[in-house]
Each structure stands twice: as C-alpha cells, then as structure tokens.
Amino acid sequence: MATTQEETFKKLVAHCKEYGFVFPSSEIYDGLGAVYDYGQNGVELKNNIKRYWWDSMTLLHDNIVGIDAAIFMHPMTWKASGHVDAFNDPLIDNRDSKKRYRADVLIEDQLGKIEEKINKEVEKAAKRFGESFDEAMFRQTNPRVLEHQQHFDALHERYKKAMNDGDLNELKQIILDEEIVCPISGTRNWTDVRQFNLMFQTEMGSTADGAMKIYLRPETAQGIFVNYLNVQKTGRMKIPFGIAQIGKAFRNEIVARQFVFRMREFEQMEMQFFVKPGTEMEWFKHWKEFRLRWHKALGLGDEKYRFHDHEKLAHYANAATDIEFLMPFGFKEVEGIHSRTNFDLSQHAKYSGKKIEYFDPELNESYTPFVIETSIGVDRMFLSVMCAAYKEEHLEGGDTRVVLSLPPVLAPNKVCVMPLVKKDGLPEKAREIVDMLKFDFHTSYDEKDSIGKRYRRQDAIGTPFCVTVDHDTLNDNCVTVRYRDTMAQDRIAIDDLHNLIAKAVNPKELYKKIVGK
Ligand code: ATP
C-alpha cells in the first residue's frame, strides 16, 4: 500500500530521533513545546549546512565578511526596528477546546479549502471530458466554479484589508461569518482576536529598580545593522559589501507545529548586503538567483524549489520573495530575500542620534545605504535536506532498507570502516585505515553484527562510503568500497581511498556550480 506524505513525514520524525539527529528538548520532563535538541548526527549535519552557507558567502565573495553579535541587545534596538510595536500575530482562542490559533492562519486555511473545491470540480470535469477538456473555458463558465471563485475573491479582499488595517474585530467577524470551527472541539465558541507580540522578554540586572527589560532577539539581522559602522570602518569596506551572521533567534510562536519547521528557538543564517540607493533592484535580482543556485547545487531536485513573491510587503520593504521547498506538507518557505531599503539604518540613526552613513569617494557624497537581505533558517534547511534524502527502498528479494541519500558534502559521517570478522588481525588493519582517514573526514569504525546489518546502520544515517577489510586485504592492501546510493561495490587500493572520499565530499565542486565555473 502506498504511504501518504503525512505518514512519510511521521516516519522521518521518528527516524530523526532513533538515529540521533533530533530529540525533543528536555524529553525526560516530557519535552518543551516547539523546542528541539540536535543529537550526535544532527549536529554534524547542521554544522555542515552552516559551513556550506558561511563559505559560500565569505570565501566566494571578497566583499562579504562575517560577525557574531550577542543575542542580548540594547532594548532600544527593538523599538527602532519596529519589533516592539509591530512584531505581532493576531491570536484567537476556542473556549471549548482551550486551543489557541492564529486568526490569519484560520482564514488562510479557509481560503485554501475554497481553492480545493474549485480544483476538485476541475479534476472531475477533466476526467469526464477527457482529451477535449478546455480547462480555461471551464473555469470561466462553470456556474459552481464561478460561485466558489466569487466567494474566494470576496473573502480574500476582505481578509487582505483587515490585515492591512490591523482590524482585529473584522478578523473575528470573518471567522464568524465564514462559520470556521475549531478543528479540535468542532465549535464556533471563539474569543476576541488579540495581538500577541512574539518576542520573549527577560530582565537584565539584579535589583528590582535597576533591572532593565530586554528581549531575546527575534532575528539576527539587527546585530548586523547596529554593527554596520564598526565593520565598514574597521574593515575599510567599500559599497557594495555584505555582512554575514549565523546565530540563534527566538520567537514565541503561537502555533508551533511541523517539527523543526516552526520552532520557538531556532537558528538563522543572514546576510545583509549594503548597496548604493537606486541599485537595489539589480542586487535583489542578483541575490535571488545566487541563493537559488546555492540550493540547487546540492542536487536535491530542481523541481522542488520555487519563488514566491510577496503580495503584501512589510512596511520597510520595496521587494520581497521567498524560496520555497517542496516538503511533505507542501511548498513551504525556507528562505526570504528582502529589499529592505534604508529603513533599518535610518531608524537606528534616528533612535541612537548617531550618523550612520557611507561616504562614497566616487560620488564625493554621503548617503544611507540600501540593503538586500538574504535570510534562511538553519533548521528549515535541515528539514528540507532530510525530507529530500529520506527514502524507503524495496530491494530485490523482498528486502527493504531506509536510506538517507544526503549530499556527501553534508553527510554527518563520511566513511565507516569495518573488519569482516573480529579476529585474524582484521580489526587492527581496519583501525589503521581509520587513523589514516580521520584527520580529514568524519570516520567511524564498526565491527558488530553481520556486514549487511552494518551497511543498513550506515545507510540510515547517510554515510556515503563503507569500507570492508577482509583476509585478502592483509596481502593485497585492497579493500571493498560499498557505495550508499547504488549499493555497488568496488575493490580498490587502500592508498586510493583518500582521493575517492575527498573528491566526493569536497564542497569545491558545488561552489563552482554556484558561481557558474
Ligand atoms: P513564517 O512566515 O514561516 O513565520 P517569516 O516570514 O516570519 O516565516 P522571516 O522573518 O523572513 O520568516 O525569517 C527568515 C527565515 O527564518 C525563514 O525563511 C525561516 O527559514 C526561518 N524561520 C523563521 N521563523 C522560524 C521558526 N519559528 N522556526 C524555524 N525557522 C524559522
């Protein structure tokens, strides 16, 4: 029986736990909502993703440098950035189930349902009419489709206006008028809609009087903006230039579901690129294309990516797009690319009273640079890689295997060395090979159980190469290499192992693809 995408996703979550990729946080106390810990394999994969991103920014560009700003920032930062006043989600509770929802998500789900109804009508008709079916004509003329479409358009318009106006009463009225029920209780017993600020707060300082309210940063970007002058001056950076940063961010998400897709503590990789005003659209296009090439170079499947341009722009943006990845639960945002104008630097100049500008020696004038931001969640990237890599394969002879076809560059463990038996000097020879490889690659050693079982364990964590030492090895200095994806085996000289692995796990080939060399 074919497994549904939902079942596959559940299996993937279970797999992540069973093989030391991701654990629920503080699990012995029953976990903490939407907070996760990375295990022994997860942390390696995550570090490899971060390394791939970091080097693609700082190695491939001589005008991009990195920083590592503190998580705690002066509270004025968040006033200036707009987060204190506007980093809100509209929330609504169902009084019967006591469950909390985002009002905007409930309405968007309703819009999705109407779209589904239209698509069902179209599918039915396509089946009925066969070859001669004219879909465009059907959509324009079928009374049932037209009725649904009118409903969709009117609701969409009303919803967009309510969101733009920040009209919470109207959001509630839409939920009531659409007769949207709580998926748990099935009732329409809703509270009013309230704004909920997503920033976590804490206090700094010991005395009640002297304590200062501070926030856990909800994005890493502001750490870059407040350091703009420091980096520009000390690095003698010339526009255009970029500052990259990887770090934790925190958001008190109302609805935290879908595993590491939406977490309350997560990690971001952000790069702010400072440009001359008026050139931002050119750079926006450049970074959109560059970032898509970065994703595609991993070889997870070009068809799994798409751009989604924002209809509603944030108050500071003049263009924005998401790179979406096809997860088992649909196309979802993994990365945002935003043209943020000079909003952030101007705001910080205003609130700090400092002049934050760039003196352009070519123009002989000063200006506040415009910014293109690329912002990607490490955890969402991790999830997309895992979703694409996870496969259940049915083999000849009725056997099955679970394999993670991870890009070798990202795989946590690159090679596992195995003596065929635990005697006759084979373990010692295998250890010698481990010692030879371990300075360059994550190398493991396994002598327990049959070779078949050992292969399966490595398949399950995505190790691209297994190396078996047998009795012949002692005479001919050759080993059997077994490849993860094809399961093919080759006999090769121990001296050639290093080259074979190095070629496969070296990110250089990916970087060349990205820059088009
Ligand atoms: P969403 O609409 O899904 O809440 P967003 O548009 O608010 O995301 P941004 O503020 O643009 O997200 O953040 C940039 C990136 O940070 C996102 O593309 C995503 O990869 C990541 N990210 C944002 N929120 C979370 C979260 N709660 N958990 C994990 N990753 C996140």
PDB file of all heavy atoms in Angstrom, residues 102 251 253 260-264 266 268 270 333-336 338 375-377 379-380, ligand 1:
ATOM      1  N   ARG A 102      -3.794  31.104  15.260  1.00  0.00           N
ATOM      2  CA  ARG A 102      -3.564  32.395  14.619  1.00  0.00           C
ATOM      3  C   ARG A 102      -4.773  32.665  13.744  1.00  0.00           C
ATOM      4  O   ARG A 102      -5.122  31.847  12.881  1.00  0.00           O
ATOM      5  CB  ARG A 102      -2.299  32.340  13.763  1.00  0.00           C
ATOM      6  CG  ARG A 102      -1.079  32.761  14.557  1.00  0.00           C
ATOM      7  CD  ARG A 102       0.167  32.523  13.795  1.00  0.00           C
ATOM      8  NE  ARG A 102       0.238  33.297  12.547  1.00  0.00           N
ATOM      9  CZ  ARG A 102       1.309  33.301  11.769  1.00  0.00           C
ATOM     10  NH1 ARG A 102       2.369  32.607  12.109  1.00  0.00           N
ATOM     11  NH2 ARG A 102       1.315  34.004  10.664  1.00  0.00           N
ATOM     12  N   ARG A 251      11.384  33.165  18.856  1.00  0.00           N
ATOM     13  CA  ARG A 251      10.050  33.722  18.616  1.00  0.00           C
ATOM     14  C   ARG A 251       9.037  32.879  19.371  1.00  0.00           C
ATOM     15  O   ARG A 251       9.044  31.651  19.242  1.00  0.00           O
ATOM     16  CB  ARG A 251       9.689  33.697  17.119  1.00  0.00           C
ATOM     17  CG  ARG A 251      10.580  34.589  16.304  1.00  0.00           C
ATOM     18  CD  ARG A 251      10.199  34.591  14.829  1.00  0.00           C
ATOM     19  NE  ARG A 251      11.229  35.305  14.084  1.00  0.00           N
ATOM     20  CZ  ARG A 251      11.220  35.479  12.769  1.00  0.00           C
ATOM     21  NH1 ARG A 251      10.225  34.996  12.048  1.00  0.00           N
ATOM     22  NH2 ARG A 251      12.191  36.135  12.177  1.00  0.00           N
ATOM     23  N   GLU A 253       6.231  31.624  19.029  1.00  0.00           N
ATOM     24  CA  GLU A 253       5.230  31.297  18.005  1.00  0.00           C
ATOM     25  C   GLU A 253       3.948  30.794  18.669  1.00  0.00           C
ATOM     26  O   GLU A 253       3.999  30.032  19.631  1.00  0.00           O
ATOM     27  CB  GLU A 253       5.771  30.200  17.080  1.00  0.00           C
ATOM     28  CG  GLU A 253       7.044  30.568  16.320  1.00  0.00           C
ATOM     29  CD  GLU A 253       6.778  31.381  15.075  1.00  0.00           C
ATOM     30  OE1 GLU A 253       5.616  31.711  14.793  1.00  0.00           O
ATOM     31  OE2 GLU A 253       7.769  31.699  14.371  1.00  0.00           O
ATOM     32  N   VAL A 260      10.800  20.674  13.248  1.00  0.00           N
ATOM     33  CA  VAL A 260      11.735  21.802  13.298  1.00  0.00           C
ATOM     34  C   VAL A 260      11.408  22.890  12.269  1.00  0.00           C
ATOM     35  O   VAL A 260      12.166  23.835  12.106  1.00  0.00           O
ATOM     36  CB  VAL A 260      13.206  21.351  13.134  1.00  0.00           C
ATOM     37  CG1 VAL A 260      13.618  20.492  14.317  1.00  0.00           C
ATOM     38  CG2 VAL A 260      13.430  20.609  11.819  1.00  0.00           C
ATOM     39  N   PHE A 261      10.264  22.772  11.593  1.00  0.00           N
ATOM     40  CA  PHE A 261       9.884  23.818  10.636  1.00  0.00           C
ATOM     41  C   PHE A 261       9.560  25.119  11.371  1.00  0.00           C
ATOM     42  O   PHE A 261       9.941  26.198  10.942  1.00  0.00           O
ATOM     43  CB  PHE A 261       8.676  23.379   9.801  1.00  0.00           C
ATOM     44  CG  PHE A 261       8.290  24.396   8.773  1.00  0.00           C
ATOM     45  CD1 PHE A 261       8.988  24.478   7.586  1.00  0.00           C
ATOM     46  CD2 PHE A 261       7.259  25.301   9.011  1.00  0.00           C
ATOM     47  CE1 PHE A 261       8.662  25.432   6.642  1.00  0.00           C
ATOM     48  CE2 PHE A 261       6.935  26.269   8.081  1.00  0.00           C
ATOM     49  CZ  PHE A 261       7.637  26.330   6.889  1.00  0.00           C
ATOM     50  N   ARG A 262       8.816  25.014  12.450  1.00  0.00           N
ATOM     51  CA  ARG A 262       8.471  26.226  13.210  1.00  0.00           C
ATOM     52  C   ARG A 262       8.813  26.006  14.677  1.00  0.00           C
ATOM     53  O   ARG A 262       8.121  25.297  15.387  1.00  0.00           O
ATOM     54  CB  ARG A 262       6.990  26.566  13.043  1.00  0.00           C
ATOM     55  CG  ARG A 262       6.632  27.927  13.595  1.00  0.00           C
ATOM     56  CD  ARG A 262       5.213  28.335  13.271  1.00  0.00           C
ATOM     57  NE  ARG A 262       4.980  28.458  11.846  1.00  0.00           N
ATOM     58  CZ  ARG A 262       5.419  29.467  11.082  1.00  0.00           C
ATOM     59  NH1 ARG A 262       6.084  30.453  11.622  1.00  0.00           N
ATOM     60  NH2 ARG A 262       5.168  29.490   9.786  1.00  0.00           N
ATOM     61  N   MET A 263       9.900  26.613  15.109  1.00  0.00           N
ATOM     62  CA  MET A 263      10.368  26.414  16.479  1.00  0.00           C
ATOM     63  C   MET A 263      10.320  27.722  17.248  1.00  0.00           C
ATOM     64  O   MET A 263      10.219  28.790  16.650  1.00  0.00           O
ATOM     65  CB  MET A 263      11.822  25.928  16.444  1.00  0.00           C
ATOM     66  CG  MET A 263      12.016  24.636  15.694  1.00  0.00           C
ATOM     67  SD  MET A 263      13.698  24.532  15.085  1.00  0.00           S
ATOM     68  CE  MET A 263      14.483  23.712  16.448  1.00  0.00           C
ATOM     69  N   ARG A 264      10.432  27.612  18.564  1.00  0.00           N
ATOM     70  CA  ARG A 264      10.467  28.839  19.377  1.00  0.00           C
ATOM     71  C   ARG A 264      11.920  29.306  19.565  1.00  0.00           C
ATOM     72  O   ARG A 264      12.172  30.463  19.828  1.00  0.00           O
ATOM     73  CB  ARG A 264       9.756  28.608  20.707  1.00  0.00           C
ATOM     74  CG  ARG A 264       8.275  28.339  20.487  1.00  0.00           C
ATOM     75  CD  ARG A 264       7.446  28.572  21.740  1.00  0.00           C
ATOM     76  NE  ARG A 264       6.038  28.628  21.424  1.00  0.00           N
ATOM     77  CZ  ARG A 264       5.176  27.622  21.618  1.00  0.00           C
ATOM     78  NH1 ARG A 264       5.573  26.494  22.158  1.00  0.00           N
ATOM     79  NH2 ARG A 264       3.910  27.760  21.285  1.00  0.00           N
ATOM     80  N   PHE A 266      15.413  28.937  17.333  1.00  0.00           N
ATOM     81  CA  PHE A 266      15.922  28.391  16.070  1.00  0.00           C
ATOM     82  C   PHE A 266      17.177  29.161  15.663  1.00  0.00           C
ATOM     83  O   PHE A 266      17.631  30.046  16.380  1.00  0.00           O
ATOM     84  CB  PHE A 266      14.844  28.432  14.982  1.00  0.00           C
ATOM     85  CG  PHE A 266      14.284  29.801  14.699  1.00  0.00           C
ATOM     86  CD1 PHE A 266      14.708  30.527  13.596  1.00  0.00           C
ATOM     87  CD2 PHE A 266      13.340  30.364  15.534  1.00  0.00           C
ATOM     88  CE1 PHE A 266      14.195  31.797  13.331  1.00  0.00           C
ATOM     89  CE2 PHE A 266      12.822  31.639  15.283  1.00  0.00           C
ATOM     90  CZ  PHE A 266      13.246  32.346  14.176  1.00  0.00           C
ATOM     91  N   GLN A 268      19.358  31.180  12.528  1.00  0.00           N
ATOM     92  CA  GLN A 268      19.250  31.837  11.222  1.00  0.00           C
ATOM     93  C   GLN A 268      20.635  32.057  10.614  1.00  0.00           C
ATOM     94  O   GLN A 268      21.624  32.213  11.341  1.00  0.00           O
ATOM     95  CB  GLN A 268      18.581  33.207  11.373  1.00  0.00           C
ATOM     96  CG  GLN A 268      17.105  33.137  11.661  1.00  0.00           C
ATOM     97  CD  GLN A 268      16.470  34.521  11.676  1.00  0.00           C
ATOM     98  OE1 GLN A 268      17.027  35.445  12.259  1.00  0.00           O
ATOM     99  NE2 GLN A 268      15.327  34.666  11.036  1.00  0.00           N
ATOM    100  N   GLU A 270      21.979  34.828   8.113  1.00  0.00           N
ATOM    101  CA  GLU A 270      21.520  36.042   7.430  1.00  0.00           C
ATOM    102  C   GLU A 270      22.709  36.812   6.865  1.00  0.00           C
ATOM    103  O   GLU A 270      23.782  36.872   7.477  1.00  0.00           O
ATOM    104  CB  GLU A 270      20.741  36.939   8.390  1.00  0.00           C
ATOM    105  CG  GLU A 270      19.468  36.265   8.879  1.00  0.00           C
ATOM    106  CD  GLU A 270      18.478  37.238   9.496  1.00  0.00           C
ATOM    107  OE1 GLU A 270      18.812  37.873  10.500  1.00  0.00           O
ATOM    108  OE2 GLU A 270      17.361  37.344   8.972  1.00  0.00           O
ATOM    109  N   GLU A 333       8.120  28.044   2.839  1.00  0.00           N
ATOM    110  CA  GLU A 333       9.250  28.979   2.859  1.00  0.00           C
ATOM    111  C   GLU A 333      10.450  28.409   3.616  1.00  0.00           C
ATOM    112  O   GLU A 333      10.314  27.948   4.737  1.00  0.00           O
ATOM    113  CB  GLU A 333       8.811  30.277   3.540  1.00  0.00           C
ATOM    114  CG  GLU A 333       9.977  31.203   3.794  1.00  0.00           C
ATOM    115  CD  GLU A 333       9.596  32.478   4.562  1.00  0.00           C
ATOM    116  OE1 GLU A 333       8.399  32.819   4.616  1.00  0.00           O
ATOM    117  OE2 GLU A 333      10.523  33.110   5.094  1.00  0.00           O
ATOM    118  N   VAL A 334      11.597  28.473   2.953  1.00  0.00           N
ATOM    119  CA  VAL A 334      12.840  28.096   3.617  1.00  0.00           C
ATOM    120  C   VAL A 334      13.716  29.338   3.792  1.00  0.00           C
ATOM    121  O   VAL A 334      14.451  29.460   4.755  1.00  0.00           O
ATOM    122  CB  VAL A 334      13.603  27.035   2.784  1.00  0.00           C
ATOM    123  CG1 VAL A 334      14.965  26.743   3.394  1.00  0.00           C
ATOM    124  CG2 VAL A 334      12.806  25.761   2.701  1.00  0.00           C
ATOM    125  N   GLU A 335      13.591  30.242   2.848  1.00  0.00           N
ATOM    126  CA  GLU A 335      14.469  31.413   2.855  1.00  0.00           C
ATOM    127  C   GLU A 335      13.709  32.644   2.376  1.00  0.00           C
ATOM    128  O   GLU A 335      12.848  32.534   1.500  1.00  0.00           O
ATOM    129  CB  GLU A 335      15.658  31.133   1.916  1.00  0.00           C
ATOM    130  CG  GLU A 335      16.496  32.344   1.608  1.00  0.00           C
ATOM    131  CD  GLU A 335      17.924  32.006   1.201  1.00  0.00           C
ATOM    132  OE1 GLU A 335      18.225  30.813   1.010  1.00  0.00           O
ATOM    133  OE2 GLU A 335      18.726  32.946   1.084  1.00  0.00           O
ATOM    134  N   GLY A 336      14.033  33.788   2.946  1.00  0.00           N
ATOM    135  CA  GLY A 336      13.438  35.046   2.485  1.00  0.00           C
ATOM    136  C   GLY A 336      14.526  35.941   1.911  1.00  0.00           C
ATOM    137  O   GLY A 336      15.639  36.014   2.451  1.00  0.00           O
ATOM    138  N   HIS A 338      14.895  39.888   0.853  1.00  0.00           N
ATOM    139  CA  HIS A 338      14.128  41.118   1.023  1.00  0.00           C
ATOM    140  C   HIS A 338      14.948  42.332   0.645  1.00  0.00           C
ATOM    141  O   HIS A 338      16.127  42.414   0.987  1.00  0.00           O
ATOM    142  CB  HIS A 338      13.697  41.279   2.487  1.00  0.00           C
ATOM    143  CG  HIS A 338      13.045  40.053   3.063  1.00  0.00           C
ATOM    144  ND1 HIS A 338      13.513  39.404   4.172  1.00  0.00           N
ATOM    145  CD2 HIS A 338      11.973  39.348   2.645  1.00  0.00           C
ATOM    146  CE1 HIS A 338      12.746  38.361   4.431  1.00  0.00           C
ATOM    147  NE2 HIS A 338      11.809  38.292   3.516  1.00  0.00           N
ATOM    148  N   SER A 375      17.906  35.694   4.102  1.00  0.00           N
ATOM    149  CA  SER A 375      17.697  35.180   5.455  1.00  0.00           C
ATOM    150  C   SER A 375      17.141  33.757   5.397  1.00  0.00           C
ATOM    151  O   SER A 375      16.044  33.533   4.890  1.00  0.00           O
ATOM    152  CB  SER A 375      16.701  36.088   6.176  1.00  0.00           C
ATOM    153  OG  SER A 375      16.319  35.518   7.402  1.00  0.00           O
ATOM    154  N   ILE A 376      17.924  32.814   5.898  1.00  0.00           N
ATOM    155  CA  ILE A 376      17.497  31.418   5.804  1.00  0.00           C
ATOM    156  C   ILE A 376      17.593  30.758   7.181  1.00  0.00           C
ATOM    157  O   ILE A 376      18.526  31.047   7.944  1.00  0.00           O
ATOM    158  CB  ILE A 376      18.341  30.665   4.735  1.00  0.00           C
ATOM    159  CG1 ILE A 376      18.090  29.152   4.798  1.00  0.00           C
ATOM    160  CG2 ILE A 376      19.812  30.937   4.826  1.00  0.00           C
ATOM    161  CD1 ILE A 376      18.620  28.403   3.595  1.00  0.00           C
ATOM    162  N   GLY A 377      16.616  29.927   7.508  1.00  0.00           N
ATOM    163  CA  GLY A 377      16.619  29.212   8.783  1.00  0.00           C
ATOM    164  C   GLY A 377      17.440  27.934   8.646  1.00  0.00           C
ATOM    165  O   GLY A 377      17.219  27.144   7.727  1.00  0.00           O
ATOM    166  N   ASP A 379      17.401  25.409  10.598  1.00  0.00           N
ATOM    167  CA  ASP A 379      16.572  24.253  10.929  1.00  0.00           C
ATOM    168  C   ASP A 379      15.637  23.887   9.771  1.00  0.00           C
ATOM    169  O   ASP A 379      15.400  22.719   9.494  1.00  0.00           O
ATOM    170  CB  ASP A 379      15.765  24.551  12.193  1.00  0.00           C
ATOM    171  CG  ASP A 379      16.660  25.140  13.262  1.00  0.00           C
ATOM    172  OD1 ASP A 379      17.250  24.362  14.022  1.00  0.00           O
ATOM    173  OD2 ASP A 379      16.813  26.382  13.315  1.00  0.00           O
ATOM    174  N   ARG A 380      15.110  24.912   9.093  1.00  0.00           N
ATOM    175  CA  ARG A 380      14.247  24.616   7.936  1.00  0.00           C
ATOM    176  C   ARG A 380      15.067  24.017   6.806  1.00  0.00           C
ATOM    177  O   ARG A 380      14.593  23.165   6.071  1.00  0.00           O
ATOM    178  CB  ARG A 380      13.553  25.882   7.447  1.00  0.00           C
ATOM    179  CG  ARG A 380      12.384  26.197   8.311  1.00  0.00           C
ATOM    180  CD  ARG A 380      11.454  27.176   7.666  1.00  0.00           C
ATOM    181  NE  ARG A 380      10.562  27.672   8.693  1.00  0.00           N
ATOM    182  CZ  ARG A 380       9.706  28.656   8.542  1.00  0.00           C
ATOM    183  NH1 ARG A 380       9.615  29.271   7.378  1.00  0.00           N
ATOM    184  NH2 ARG A 380       8.938  29.032   9.525  1.00  0.00           N
TER     185      ARG A 380
HETATM  186  P1  ATP B   1       6.974  32.395   8.597  1.00  0.00           P
HETATM  187  O1  ATP B   1       6.122  33.208   7.657  1.00  0.00           O
HETATM  188  O2  ATP B   1       7.085  30.946   8.237  1.00  0.00           O
HETATM  189  O3  ATP B   1       6.685  32.635  10.053  1.00  0.00           O
HETATM  190  P2  ATP B   1       8.831  34.526   8.368  1.00  0.00           P
HETATM  191  O4  ATP B   1       8.472  35.074   7.029  1.00  0.00           O
HETATM  192  O5  ATP B   1       8.361  35.193   9.598  1.00  0.00           O
HETATM  193  O6  ATP B   1       8.462  32.959   8.422  1.00  0.00           O
HETATM  194  P3  ATP B   1      11.468  35.555   8.346  1.00  0.00           P
HETATM  195  O7  ATP B   1      11.210  36.518   9.426  1.00  0.00           O
HETATM  196  O8  ATP B   1      11.595  36.040   6.951  1.00  0.00           O
HETATM  197  O9  ATP B   1      10.389  34.369   8.433  1.00  0.00           O
HETATM  198  O10 ATP B   1      12.755  34.693   8.763  1.00  0.00           O
HETATM  199  C1  ATP B   1      13.693  34.212   7.828  1.00  0.00           C
HETATM  200  C2  ATP B   1      13.833  32.713   7.893  1.00  0.00           C
HETATM  201  O11 ATP B   1      13.985  32.261   9.243  1.00  0.00           O
HETATM  202  C3  ATP B   1      12.625  31.937   7.383  1.00  0.00           C
HETATM  203  O12 ATP B   1      12.673  31.812   5.982  1.00  0.00           O
HETATM  204  C4  ATP B   1      12.785  30.601   8.067  1.00  0.00           C
HETATM  205  O13 ATP B   1      13.680  29.765   7.359  1.00  0.00           O
HETATM  206  C5  ATP B   1      13.409  30.968   9.389  1.00  0.00           C
HETATM  207  N1  ATP B   1      12.387  30.980  10.459  1.00  0.00           N
HETATM  208  C6  ATP B   1      11.546  31.974  10.777  1.00  0.00           C
HETATM  209  N2  ATP B   1      10.763  31.630  11.822  1.00  0.00           N
HETATM  210  C7  ATP B   1      11.135  30.375  12.171  1.00  0.00           C
HETATM  211  C8  ATP B   1      10.719  29.461  13.199  1.00  0.00           C
HETATM  212  N3  ATP B   1       9.770  29.787  14.070  1.00  0.00           N
HETATM  213  N4  ATP B   1      11.317  28.249  13.258  1.00  0.00           N
HETATM  214  C9  ATP B   1      12.303  27.912  12.385  1.00  0.00           C
HETATM  215  N5  ATP B   1      12.740  28.726  11.420  1.00  0.00           N
HETATM  216  C10 ATP B   1      12.174  29.948  11.306  1.00  0.00           C
END
